[in-house]
Amino acid sequence: MTHVVTESCIKCKYTDCVDVCPVDCFREGPNMLVIDPDECIDCAVCIPECPVEAIKAEEDVPADQLDFIKLNVELARGWPSITRTKPALSEAEEFKSVTNKRHLIERG
């Protein structure tokens, strides 16, 4: 099992989770983060750090977001590693409670 970044991260990209990750499994895209499942050790220390509750254990991903399991795998292959906290996106406050944001993913 691994952990998965879900829809809540889109257009927010809070990076509080990055500092606590012992294996540097987070990958950074233009407007969200993902977890590389090949690097994740399933320690769960990142879950309470996310202010928008975007990180879920794979078995806890909501049914309407199961596609994010494959999306994390796909995007982690092309996005660079992020190992230090950065400021959230300027629009994070505006988007942190918005739902149905899949169409806003920038694959860049």
Side-chain angles (χ1 to χ4, degrees):
M1 288 295 165
T2 185
H3 285 76
V4 178
V5 178
T6 60
E7 186 174 40
S8 299
C9 188
I10 301 167
K11 299 285 274 182
C12 293
K13 199 165 78 168
Y14 290 101
T15 60
D16 307 59
C17 53
V18 172
D19 275 342
V20 299
C21 181
V23 295
D24 300 332
C25 69
F26 285 91
R27 304 296 180 258
E28 181 182 20
N31 68 348
M32 71 176 293
L33 302 176
V34 294
I35 292 174
D36 182 337
D38 294 331
E39 298 292 327
C40 181
I41 60 170
D42 203 26
C43 68
V45 297
C46 57
I47 292 175
E49 298 302 315
C50 182
V52 293
E53 300 178 1
I55 304 168
K56 309 284 185 197
E58 187 173 340
E59 64 270 14
D60 296 332
V61 173
D64 66 336
Q65 295 192 45
L66 289 173
D67 56 322
F68 277 87
I69 296 170
K70 288 183 181 177
L71 188 66
N72 274 244
V73 173
E74 173 192 333
L75 296 175
R77 290 182 183 144
W79 286 355
S81 180
I82 177 173
T83 58
R84 295 199 193 287
T85 301
K86 295 180 178 181
L89 296 177
S90 60
E91 63 264 27
E93 280 298 310
E94 176 186 345
F95 279 93
K96 72 181 191 178
S97 57
V98 173
T99 57
N100 301 314
K101 302 188 282 186
R102 281 179 182 80
H103 67 285
L104 299 174
I105 296 173
E106 295 176 28
R107 294 172 179 261

